Amino acid sequence: MSELQSRTRYEPSEVEPRIVSRWLQSGIFHPEPEGTPEENFSIAIPPPNVTGVLHMGHALNNTIQDCLVRHRRMLGRRTKWILGTDHAGIATQTQVERALLAEGSSREQLGREAFVERVWRWREQYGGTMIEQLKRLGASCDYESERFTLDEGYARAVLKVFVALYEKGLIYRDRYLVNWDPGSGSAISDLEVEQREVRDTLYYIDYPLATGTGAITVATVRPETMLADTAIAVNPDDDRYRRLIGERAILPLVGRKLKIIADEHVRPDFGTGALKITPAHDPNDFEIGRRHGLAHPSVIGEDGRITDDAPERFRGLKIAAAQEAVLAALREEGLLARAEPYEHAVPFSQRSGERIEPLISLQWFMAMDELARPAIEAVTSGLVRFHPAHYTKVYLDWMQNIRPWCISRQLWWGHRLPVWYRRAPSPMETYVGIEPPAGEGWERDPDVLDTWFSSALWPFATLGWPDRTPELAAFYPTDVLSTARDIIFLWVARMIMMGLEFTGTVPFTDVNVHSIIQAPDGRRMSKSLGTGIDPLDLIDGGPRPPVFAVDGSDPGSFPAYGADAVRWGLLAMSSGQDVSFSEDKVAQGQQLTNKLWNAARLVLLGVEAVGGDIRAAATPVAVEDRWILSRLAAAQAEVHERIERFDLSHAALRVYEFIYGELCDWYLELVKPRLRAGERELAQTLLLVLTETVTLAHPLIPFVTEEIWSHIPGAEGLLAARVTPPGAARPDPEAERAVARAIEAIQELRRWRDLTGVRAGVVLPARIEAVGYEQTLEHVSRLARLTLDGAGDPSAQATVAIPGGRVVILGGVDVDGARARLEKERGRLESEIDRAERKLANDGFVAKAPAAVVQAERDKLAALRAELDALRRPSGADGSR
């Protein structure tokens, strides 16, 4: 018994680890640095956080990248998928600090040097998790050249870039309003802030006029910041306050006189139309303060407590306590006019989840305008292309309004700024350089760089820049970046800017913005919400999250679908920008792998039974052999085009359609008698079709195809390393027309049998009165279960219309029962058509329903009408078709 005879089921859990091991041992993922970037193909993986584990976004994006890489490798390109991880400053430091807290310790107790050593140990222990998970997914990365954004060579590149930009005047130190994240104790960039709707209280506070003639009332959700007010602003066109412009009011609880100023930023319809101006604690107020030359005292410190710039009774209070104390004091003085509920957008840190505290802080910034100009030109000129194309406008809108980037972070884990200060002799000296300064008295800046600063160098620093390495010469610039839309600004734009500035060329030419997979109910995927799905639970079998529960029941566990099924399912469901997770698609992927495995066993066992040295070859004479090779050529062309256009969803569906439909449901059924007869020419064609089919499907479902390849006679080496020869299958329009006509006839006859209630096993006597079946008559009769030997009642019991004529049924039919069933089906279709027509005639439905829903209803109506028309085709005298 051969191995294939005993392996009746495809078992991913047994096959996948073995296949991964073969790939890695072969070295095919680690190309030699030869040739030019134009001859080669490279992708830089978006580096996962060293803290990370595989989630659904990683699984989809890395499947997309792997398809692109495998596709180009099989086209004969030398491919490199640059692999590595990001040190992820805030995320990693937070993880380690939590571990220390559980031990009853803290980073402050350890001290900086010991804490950083602790993080490095943590990285060694946990940092490889994601890399191993990528192998489980089948990602063909260059694992032998893994990089880390804090490794020695990468760190040297980061320092060189910082110093160069500083010397060019683009990096500078300034006191400026920043987004202070109390959770991480650090400033963060605008792009790391997310807006959330919050229900607050809007407090109305009376500010007495200095003239003693009344008060001007302002509205605020943050009464504690009034201690730092430096003005009151009104809109210059607001008639209510025009007479007060230039007057002064008294700041309650402090006594400072505030000038009433006019500024067009003020919205007359918010609150009372009068706005308290606190430049140190609100970004809009900061800009108003700059326009009017206002002072900017700060009453909230980086520790989240009220500073010494506030009245003594509030000093040292935490923010929430300070708000209560300020409100109590205002009530006591009779200056709190009223309060009302108020819903508004509030900034929160994406990193820690804490509410952002706008603070004026001494930080390092990077001017972006000069770097942005060539990066804008690179996209408007078409040098860099976004897919889908509408993200071009998203990118350009942000780049054309770009702001300075706060690049310093108050952390210990990361790239420490190459900046030193010496305070004596006066004035203070600042030194910026790759190497420490000479002399005594220098202190290094304690801050580290924003993680995104080092990530911006990823495509070229991973290849050895600033050295002119063979890897850089062979694989830079890279070809494609595949990413999610939420980091177009954080990462994509910055890589383009840095690539142009330091290498003189764009880091990639195509940006593929992939789908966002949502939970099945449309919410975002999140473990805390019970909507997150671990891809490894799909691959190996694991618990379904609570979002799958019905009426509070136990959601149960996922079957072990295997990596190929997960890959195919994710690609198939990623047809739009926001799509809901579909377990049905993953199950469909599993069906595909099983179908292909079973088809391969049928072919290979049949070839084995023929005996002798049979190799794949194309010498087809039979019309069905010519047809399948023609359909294979069409599938190859379409899948190639879809992958080249980054339309991986339709590429996956086309592969499914060819394997499941054309190959298995039709071709193998058509040739089974010939296979059983041991026809040698058929065996050669079958091997060719199987060889080219696994090659076609390999970029999408690499494990099952590699396993099948290992059993194909004459197959050498690894399928993953096979260069696809052109022209193995060619179009054959004549064969396509002949077999398409036969398939349509078989489908029509099978449908008629179902409608009339003919049992599946019954072979009906019949004669075919139609043209165009010279090469396929035997196939039609066999697969429609007809006998054409002339036996039976010479008078027709029924006729069935087929392309080119009709089939006359000569017996075996319950005519009265058939007529009743057909009439019932006609009635059902007419009723469904009437319902659909009335729905589409409803102007409210057509105007208000989503366009896709309306189109689906129109498509449904067209299909129903086609079915009814088929039933009304000319029939026999008995009334049946």
Side-chain angles (χ1 to χ4, degrees):
M1 179 186 291
S2 71
E3 182 187 353
L4 279 174
Q5 283 179 312
S6 63
R7 292 176 60 187
T8 57
R9 290 171 52 86
Y10 176 67
E11 299 289 352
S13 61
E14 186 277 325
V15 170
E16 291 172 1
R18 178 163 46 79
I19 295 294
V20 168
S21 179
R22 289 183 62 205
W23 286 334
L24 295 176
Q25 289 172 10
S26 74
I28 61 170
F29 300 163
H30 178 64
E32 291 300 318
E34 300 169 355
T36 66
E38 292 74 25
E39 297 166 339
N40 300 332
F41 181 83
S42 59
I43 292 181
I45 196 172
N49 288 355
V50 69
T51 60
V53 293
L54 196 70
H55 60 58
M56 201 57 71
H58 293 135
L60 171 61
N61 193 17
N62 287 299
T63 297
I64 290 170
Q65 292 172 81
D66 192 52
C67 285
L68 298 176
V69 169
R70 289 179 183 272
H71 175 66
R72 295 315 195 290
R73 189 183 291 121
M74 298 180 87
L75 291 176
R77 302 278 291 275
R78 182 180 290 103
T79 61
K80 184 179 181 70
W81 187 0
I82 301 165
L83 175 68
T85 54
D86 193 291
H87 66 277
I90 292 177
T92 305
Q93 179 161 316
T94 300
Q95 291 267 28
V96 177
E97 287 198 70
R98 284 178 185 158
L100 289 174
L101 186 62
E103 298 168 9
S105 183
S106 68
R107 67 176 169 124
E108 290 78 13
Q109 286 178 269
L110 283 184
R112 182 170 193 143
E113 186 175 340
F115 176 77
V116 171
E117 288 178 2
R118 174 68 179 264
V119 183
W120 275 105
R121 291 200 305 272
W122 186 91
R123 184 251 176 182
E124 292 301 318
Q125 184 175 357
Y126 298 107
T129 300
M130 174 70 84
I131 302 302
E132 293 306 311
Q133 291 174 334
L134 287 173
K135 294 174 185 176
R136 291 286 292 104
L137 191 65
S140 56
C141 306
D142 186 353
Y143 295 98
E144 295 181 45
S145 298
E146 182 185 339
R147 298 302 304 270
F148 180 49
T149 53
L150 272 178
D151 66 34
E152 184 177 351
Y154 202 102
R156 185 162 57 90
V158 171
L159 296 181
K160 183 176 178 66
V161 167
F162 184 96
V163 172
L165 293 173
Y166 174 80
E167 291 175 347
K168 197 173 182 178
L170 298 182
I171 286 181
Y172 59 93
R173 199 181 191 209
D174 195 7
R175 291 186 65 83
Y176 202 84
L177 193 76
V178 299
N179 304 301
W180 188 260
D181 176 7
S184 64
S186 175
I188 61 174
S189 73
D190 292 343
L191 297 175
E192 295 168 298
V193 175
E194 62 184 16
Q195 301 293 324
R196 299 182 194 170
E197 286 296 316
V198 170
R199 186 175 181 83
D200 259 331
T201 301
L202 190 62
Y203 298 98
Y204 290 78
I205 304 168
D206 293 333
Y207 286 51
L209 295 173
T211 59
T213 57
I216 184 169
T217 304
V218 303
T220 180
V221 294
R222 301 209 58 193
E224 68 277 11
T225 65
M226 69 180 292
L227 303 174
D229 287 356
T230 55
I232 294 174
V234 298
N235 191 288
D237 297 326
D238 194 333
D239 292 337
R240 295 172 296 175
Y241 301 115
R242 188 171 286 137
R243 63 181 178 81
L244 295 179
I245 296 172
E247 296 287 333
R248 295 185 182 275
I250 306 299
L251 177 58
L253 312 183
V254 178
R256 184 163 60 240
K257 288 186 177 180
L258 308 178
K259 188 176 181 179
I260 300 173
I261 60 175
D263 194 284
E264 292 182 350
H265 167 80
V266 180
R267 287 172 41 204
D269 60 344
F270 172 74
T272 64
L275 188 68
K276 62 187 276 307
I277 303 301
T278 319
H281 299 296
D282 184 274
N284 295 319
D285 292 6
F286 181 79
E287 295 301 329
I288 292 174
R290 286 168 68 96
R291 288 197 290 273
H292 294 272
L294 302 176
H296 43 74
S298 178
V299 296
I300 299 174
E302 293 178 354
D303 60 357
R305 295 182 182 274
I306 302 299
T307 70
D308 290 346
D309 286 339
E312 186 175 354
R313 57 178 159 165
F314 303 113
R315 294 174 188 169
L317 294 176
K318 297 289 281 185
I319 294 172
Q323 182 178 107
E324 289 301 317
V326 167
L327 290 171
L330 289 171
R331 290 189 188 96
E332 188 177 330
E333 295 190 16
L335 297 176
L336 186 59
R338 69 180 192 277
E340 63 188 26
Y342 180 63
E343 289 189 8
H344 64 134
V346 172
F348 283 80
S349 167
Q350 290 181 338
R351 298 294 188 181
S352 70
E354 296 277 341
R355 187 167 176 162
I356 289 296
E357 192 62 58
L359 296 178
I360 290 179
S361 179
L362 184 60
Q363 300 283 347
W364 285 87
F365 294 87
M366 185 169 161
M368 305 302 292
D369 291 345
E370 183 178 332
L371 297 171
R373 281 191 290 272
I376 290 170
E377 171 65 20
V379 172
T380 56
S381 68
L383 193 58
V384 176
R385 300 173 293 271
F386 280 85
H387 312 270
H390 67 262
Y391 283 107
T392 302
K393 184 177 186 302
V394 173
Y395 169 91
L396 292 174
D397 285 349
W398 183 74
M399 291 289 281
Q400 288 161 353
N401 296 280
I402 200 164
R403 292 162 53 89
W405 174 14
C406 177
I407 59 174
S408 50
R409 298 290 181 269
Q410 289 63 58
L411 303 171
W412 288 355
W413 174 246
H415 293 277
R416 194 167 177 179
L417 300 182
V419 178
W420 287 259
Y421 308 106
R422 184 159 63 181
R423 289 172 171 78
S426 184
M428 185 178 76
E429 296 178 78
T430 300
Y431 170 86
V432 175
I434 295 176
E435 300 297 331
E440 301 293 329
W442 291 99
E443 293 182 12
R444 190 168 184 177
D445 194 307
D447 291 352
V448 300
L449 282 164
D450 180 4
T451 296
W452 294 106
F453 185 96
S454 52
S455 297
L457 319 183
W458 185 249
F460 54 91
T462 50
L463 295 171
W465 187 93
D467 297 333
R468 299 180 64 84
T469 64
E471 288 76 15
L472 192 67
F475 298 111
Y476 185 86
T478 65
D479 292 86
V480 177
L481 177 77
S482 184
T483 188
R485 64 174 181 263
D486 55 353
I487 55 174
I488 290 176
F489 310 138
L490 278 166
W491 193 44
V492 179
R494 290 165 176 172
M495 281 191 290
I496 295 173
M497 288 186 275
M498 292 296 204
L500 287 166
E501 177 69 15
F502 290 99
T503 72
T505 186
V506 294
F508 34 73
T509 52
D510 291 278
V511 180
N512 174 55
V513 183
H514 64 71
S515 304
I516 302 295
I517 305 288
Q518 310 281 23
D521 61 2
R523 290 183 292 167
R524 68 181 178 89
M525 284 202 178
S526 164
K527 282 189 177 181
S528 62
L529 293 175
T531 57
I533 301 170
D534 184 341
L536 293 182
D537 286 338
L538 289 167
I539 293 172
D540 297 327
R544 288 188 176 92
V547 70
F548 284 86
V550 178
D551 299 327
S553 61
D554 181 357
S557 295
F558 293 116
Y561 286 113
D564 282 335
V566 173
R567 288 169 60 109
W568 189 92
L570 289 173
L571 292 174
M573 71 181 80
S574 63
S575 57
Q577 273 303 295
D578 290 292
V579 295
S580 296
F581 175 80
S582 167
E583 188 179 350
D584 288 343
K585 288 292 185 191
V586 178
Q588 194 176 355
Q590 185 184 48
Q591 292 164 7
L592 175 65
T593 58
N594 289 336
K595 192 81 166 180
L596 182 56
W597 174 255
N598 290 332
R601 286 185 73 251
L602 175 68
V603 168
L604 294 172
L605 290 173
V607 169
E608 185 179 284
V610 172
D613 184 18
I614 298 176
R615 300 298 176 98
T619 55
V621 175
V623 68
E624 62 267 23
D625 296 345
R626 292 160 45 213
W627 172 80
I628 193 61
L629 289 171
S630 185
R631 296 311 302 149
L632 174 60
Q636 288 171 330
E638 184 175 346
V639 171
H640 174 82
E641 180 194 9
R642 294 290 188 182
I643 293 176
E644 291 290 325
R645 289 165 44 196
F646 306 102
D647 184 2
L648 277 300
S649 175
H650 285 95
L653 294 171
R654 185 65 183 92
V655 166
Y656 182 95
E657 177 186 303
F658 174 75
I659 293 173
Y660 219 97
E662 294 167 334
L663 175 62
C664 296
D665 286 354
W666 288 110
Y667 179 65
L668 293 181
E669 291 301 316
L670 290 170
V671 302
K672 272 183 180 178
R674 296 169 58 201
L675 185 62
R676 284 194 290 266
E679 185 183 309
R680 191 174 189 81
E681 290 75 13
L682 171 65
Q684 292 177 318
T685 301
L686 282 170
L687 280 182
L688 176 65
V689 171
L690 182 60
T691 296
E692 296 305 316
T693 298
V694 295
T695 302
L696 171 71
H698 180 77
L700 291 85
I701 48 174
F703 289 104
V704 68
T705 50
E706 189 73 76
E707 180 69 357
I708 291 169
W709 174 260
S710 69
H711 294 282
I712 294 178
E716 297 179 354
L718 289 165
L719 177 59
R722 182 185 190 230
V723 176
T724 309
R730 296 182 182 278
D732 188 331
E734 180 189 351
E736 290 220 25
R737 285 192 295 270
V739 176
R741 172 171 287 201
I743 287 173
E744 188 176 346
I746 294 165
Q747 290 173 325
E748 193 66 32
L749 286 161
R750 286 174 172 174
R751 186 166 175 275
W752 173 84
R753 291 175 67 108
D754 290 341
L755 284 171
T756 54
V758 177
R759 294 194 307 275
V762 173
V763 178
L764 299 176
R767 69 174 178 269
I768 294 182
E769 300 174 354
V771 296
Y773 297 89
E774 295 80 8
Q775 301 177 80
T776 59
L777 188 60
E778 186 276 331
H779 297 311
V780 172
S781 63
R782 179 171 59 84
L783 295 181
R785 302 199 66 73
L786 305 176
T787 177
L788 306 179
D789 59 7
D793 188 342
S795 62
Q797 280 198 334
T799 59
V800 182
I802 62 172
R806 67 178 187 168
V807 173
V808 180
I809 306 300
L810 302 176
V813 180
D814 175 1
V815 175
D816 292 336
R819 184 181 296 115
R821 288 187 185 90
L822 290 168
E823 288 303 320
K824 183 178 180 181
E825 179 64 7
R826 286 193 189 100
R828 184 190 72 80
L829 290 171
E830 287 168 350
S831 176
E832 286 291 308
I833 289 170
D834 179 64
R835 185 203 64 78
E837 287 175 338
R838 283 188 284 106
K839 191 172 185 178
L840 288 167
N842 183 336
D843 292 338
F845 168 74
V846 174
K848 295 177 182 178
V853 173
V854 175
Q855 187 58 48
E857 194 66 28
R858 287 175 177 150
D859 293 343
K860 180 180 177 181
L861 176 59
L864 289 167
R865 285 171 172 167
E867 284 190 67
L868 185 60
D869 287 343
L871 286 180
R872 288 173 172 168
R873 286 176 188 162
S875 60
D878 59 2
S880 63
R881 295 180 61 212

